[in-house]
Amino acid sequence: MTDRPSNDKIILHGRGVVDGCIEGEALVTKETISGWGGVDSMTGTIVETRHELCGQSFAGKVLVFPGAKGSSGWSAAFHMARIAGVAPKALVFNEMTTKVALGAVVMRTPSVTELDQDPLDVIETGDWVKVDGDNGIVEITKGAKGG
Amino acid sequence: MELTAEEKAMLDGAEGPAAAKAMDLLVRYGEALGADRLVETNNVAGVIGSSTPFMADYYAEQGAVGRDAIFSRFDLDSDEVVDIPQAKAFTCHLQTRVEPNNSAMFGLPDAALKYHQETQEYSASKGVNMLNTCTPHAAGNTPVKGEHCAWMESSAVVYINSVIGARSNTEGRESAAAAMLTRRIPYWGFHTDAARLGQYRVDVEIDVDSVMDWGMLGYYVGNCVGESVPVITGIKMTPNLVRHKHFGAAAASSGGVEMYHVVGVTPDADTVEEAFGSNKPKETFKYGKAEMKATYENLNAKATGTDVDYVMLGCPHYTIEQVWEAARLLDGKKISGNTRLWIFTNQSVKQVAVRNGYARTIEKAGGLIMTDTCSAMAAAAPKGTKVAATDSAKQTHYLPAIVGVEAWFGSTEDCINAALSGKWQGKAP
């Protein structure tokens, strides 16, 4: 079955942060993410040793996370990931900060926040997620890899 | 977002294409934040104009050659390359990735040093003041209470917000560059009164006195409150600049603390009521002996080897008081042949350290005073380092990930003792 009935989808409504609409596989963490010093911008990997995703790549994923923490080099670290071709495809997050706002803007990845349900409760790693930054909508297909 | 007539004119190019691109970035950034407007700032601290050969090559391959091209494409996130004018706002350069006088010890090839020197000249040519430190507030740019700033460097931002009462968010490299060219930054977060009020309460039940005590408290508080504003009560001994510096840097590393209140100490916290204003504490944490011990163990959890190859002091950059203390602890002694001791600071403090003879004392003992950078920024430790020791909770947090070494955390004295004996003997206080 390639077409799933629409009631299999979970729709969350929030505020668009960066415009654009894209879909991809979710990578979810309940822990905030450090930019500079926490990720390897050349490979798109989380390297913070204390982080639950340490060693995992966010390249081409829809990154679902509580928010940004740590150094002010957050935007530059993710900006570098963009020019290295290993940035996340989209961002879904809860806590607005200057770090994550600027990072999302310069990565130019569709991004949504302030959702009506906590995306960390709804979305699991591996879910297929469509992020519509123009309208502030996140559409989740559970445990499916597309179509 | 509502723009003033002057800001609209800037966006439309009245002050040249670079200011227009900078304003465009500020508008995109402000709207991402959900800000209503911009605010004037004449105090910017960033890594303006810095770049790497990787970035230069990347843009050059696309036909965008030269420093202005990197500035346009990366710092201003502009698809078009524009001529970069002189800074419009008073702007300082933060720490760099390169130690200017000992680059070989950092394993930096000569070509990379030359690239860095040209980068520094480029930044200076734009009117950027090259303080080259993570602590501009201790090196010639001390904001005043109420001053709107656009600073990067989480440890500096938390200091000027909390200890001085200046107003800055933690800006990024791109927003600081845009502020430098426009004298504007989004009016959001810590520029507004509401965001500066306390959100969580932390009752300190033990004596917190030494620099190490303050570093551990900061690390604990950041873990408890994340990016929120903590209100610390129960402090009996007034912390000085160095203690605030270590507390804030730690809290900004383990969490994302950009502003804190210490009741009876910081400018907007004469009382608990003043610190919280209209907010009610979301939760109250306590910091007693058990929490202190757990924090110490957490910081030291990843270190196992007791042979210390490298002692790193100066995160955030050491003040002259700290260099003085290190010199006193090292006076007349020799560090272990298996251990390196590097102390990081800014060039003005180093000059005083030379004038006062501290640099000579430290060098005679086998240590070195380094400037402009640190191990985490330069992503470098002395060759062959497997185990490091530092008196900075922030550096302990970052070193394992950035340099791939184990890191012990302790007092300045524990660290100097490790340098002298080559062994880690630190214990929870």
Side-chain angles (χ1 to χ4, degrees):
Chain A
M1 202 165 93
T2 48
D3 286 307
R4 289 174 160 264
S6 61
N7 60 6
D8 260 18
K9 289 187 173 155
I10 304 167
I11 312 269
L12 305 182
H13 296 267
R15 180 171 76 81
V17 173
V18 174
D19 287 351
C21 188
I22 204 159
E23 48 192 281
E25 195 184 327
L27 176 67
V28 185
T29 175
K30 298 218 185 233
E31 294 181 3
T32 49
I33 293 177
S34 275
W36 176 87
V39 301
D40 181 339
S41 304
M42 293 295 123
T43 59
T45 308
I46 291 180
V47 295
E48 183 185 352
T49 52
R50 290 171 175 81
H51 202 281
E52 65 177 6
L53 292 187
C54 186
Q56 291 204 51
S57 168
F58 51 72
K61 298 279 171 65
V62 173
L63 187 58
V64 184
F65 62 121
K69 70 164 174 181
S71 159
S72 56
W74 210 93
S75 64
F78 279 90
H79 198 167
M80 285 297 288
R82 174 188 140 206
I83 72 171
V86 292
K89 219 178 218 180
L91 303 182
V92 177
F93 60 92
N94 284 330
E95 192 78 28
M96 178 54 84
T97 58
T98 49
K99 290 165 202 160
V100 72
L102 186 62
V105 164
V106 298
M107 266 196 289
R108 303 186 182 181
T109 48
S111 302
V112 175
T113 188
E114 293 169 25
L115 291 155
D116 47 9
Q117 281 184 73
D118 187 344
L120 302 176
D121 291 340
V122 180
I123 310 174
E124 293 163 278
T125 293
D127 288 351
W128 192 257
V129 178
K130 182 171 158 192
V131 179
D132 178 355
D134 300 327
N135 299 298
I137 294 170
V138 176
E139 195 179 284
I140 302 127
T141 309
K142 296 300 290 181
K145 298 207 172 177
Chain B
M1 207 163 58
E2 194 87 19
L3 297 185
T4 64
E6 193 189 339
E7 289 158 4
K8 268 187 210 142
M10 249 192 271
L11 184 62
D12 293 339
E15 295 189 23
K21 292 296 181 191
M23 193 52 83
D24 174 69
L25 176 60
L26 289 176
V27 168
R28 285 190 284 144
Y29 170 43
E31 281 175 352
L33 285 167
D36 300 325
R37 64 178 177 94
L38 301 172
V39 65
E40 281 203 51
T41 174
N42 191 30
N43 194 333
V44 178
V47 288
I48 310 293
S50 75
S51 64
T52 60
F54 171 82
M55 291 159 78
D57 293 346
Y58 174 82
Y59 291 121
E61 270 171 35
Q62 300 179 7
V65 181
R67 306 280 162 165
D68 277 5
I70 302 171
F71 198 112
S72 303
R73 295 288 304 274
F74 198 91
D75 294 276
L76 298 180
D77 188 32
S78 157
D79 290 331
E80 220 177 295
V81 173
V82 291
D83 288 338
I84 304 302
Q86 285 281 305
K88 184 176 177 184
F90 170 55
T91 302
C92 295
H93 200 291
L94 292 163
Q95 69 274 26
T96 76
R97 290 195 186 89
V98 174
E99 210 292 335
N101 301 309
N102 299 287
S103 57
M105 285 187 209
F106 287 77
L108 196 76
D110 286 348
L113 177 64
K114 187 164 173 284
Y115 185 90
H116 171 73
Q117 286 162 343
E118 287 165 7
T119 299
Q120 293 267 294
E121 283 161 22
Y122 170 80
S123 304
S125 77
K126 300 296 181 192
V128 177
N129 297 283
M130 307 305 284
L131 297 183
N132 293 2
T133 180
C134 50
T135 54
H137 47 285
N141 178 6
T142 314
V144 293
K145 187 176 179 189
E147 185 173 359
H148 291 283
C149 300
W151 281 29
M152 288 181 73
E153 177 47 44
S154 53
S155 70
V157 170
V158 67
Y159 187 95
I160 64 169
N161 272 332
S162 313
V163 184
I164 297 174
R167 295 183 174 224
S168 182
N169 291 311
T170 301
E171 294 304 335
R173 157 188 187 125
E174 302 86 351
S175 55
M180 157 184 152
L181 297 179
T182 59
R183 280 201 187 182
R184 295 294 192 284
I185 202 74
Y187 182 74
W188 187 85
F190 296 110
H191 293 285
T192 70
D193 290 340
R196 302 176 66 85
L197 297 172
Q199 293 165 293
Y200 288 90
R201 179 172 170 149
V202 182
D203 292 330
V204 175
E205 295 173 352
I206 51 174
D207 284 348
V208 172
D209 183 18
S210 69
V211 173
M212 179 183 177
D213 291 342
W214 278 93
M216 289 192 292
L217 178 59
Y219 205 73
Y220 172 77
V221 167
N223 269 325
C224 291
V225 309
E227 302 87 39
S228 305
V229 179
V231 176
I232 318 294
T233 73
I235 295 299
K236 297 187 203 97
M237 283 153 286
T238 303
N240 65 357
L241 187 162
V242 174
R243 286 161 177 78
H244 278 291
K245 174 172 75 97
H246 282 249
F247 173 86
S253 301
S254 59
V257 175
E258 297 173 31
M259 163 117 197
Y260 61 85
H261 299 280
V262 180
V263 175
V265 173
T266 53
D268 301 307
D270 283 346
T271 61
V272 172
E273 292 70 30
E274 188 193 0
F276 281 104
S278 53
N279 283 356
K280 280 215 162 62
K282 286 183 191 167
E283 203 176 331
T284 299
F285 298 94
K286 91 171 185 121
Y287 186 73
K289 215 167 174 155
E291 288 75 17
M292 186 265 284
K293 278 205 176 320
T295 303
Y296 180 86
E297 277 154 24
N298 181 15
L299 277 161
N300 284 306
K302 302 266 172 181
T304 52
T306 51
D307 290 336
V308 175
D309 307 305
Y310 173 38
V311 174
M312 188 277 175
L313 303 175
C315 170
H317 275 171
Y318 255 20
T319 65
I320 190 63
E321 183 194 357
Q322 292 177 292
V323 177
W324 173 50
E325 188 193 353
R328 277 185 306 173
L329 291 167
L330 287 164
D331 193 16
K333 297 175 183 156
K334 269 254 176 274
I335 66 171
S336 158
N338 302 321
T339 310
R340 301 278 171 276
L341 168 65
W342 291 357
I343 300 176
F344 293 86
T345 188
N346 62 65
Q347 295 193 19
S348 5
V349 165
K350 183 175 178 183
Q351 210 162 51
V352 180
V354 169
R355 191 185 300 149
N356 266 66
Y358 307 148
R360 209 167 142 253
T361 304
I362 291 165
E363 280 163 22
K364 263 177 90 175
L368 279 172
I369 298 182
M370 305 284 194
T371 64
D372 293 36
T373 187
C374 71
S375 273
M377 278 301 292
K383 214 173 161 213
T385 298
K386 288 193 186 73
V387 180
T390 174
D391 62 356
S392 161
K394 175 177 180 171
Q395 199 77 195
T396 312
H397 182 89
Y398 280 120
L399 271 182
I402 296 175
V403 191
V405 300
E406 294 182 1
W408 291 104
F409 167 80
S411 68
T412 305
E413 201 167 354
D414 289 339
C415 291
I416 298 274
N417 285 341
L420 293 170
S421 68
K423 297 274 177 203
W424 183 252
Q425 293 162 310
K427 282 188 181 68

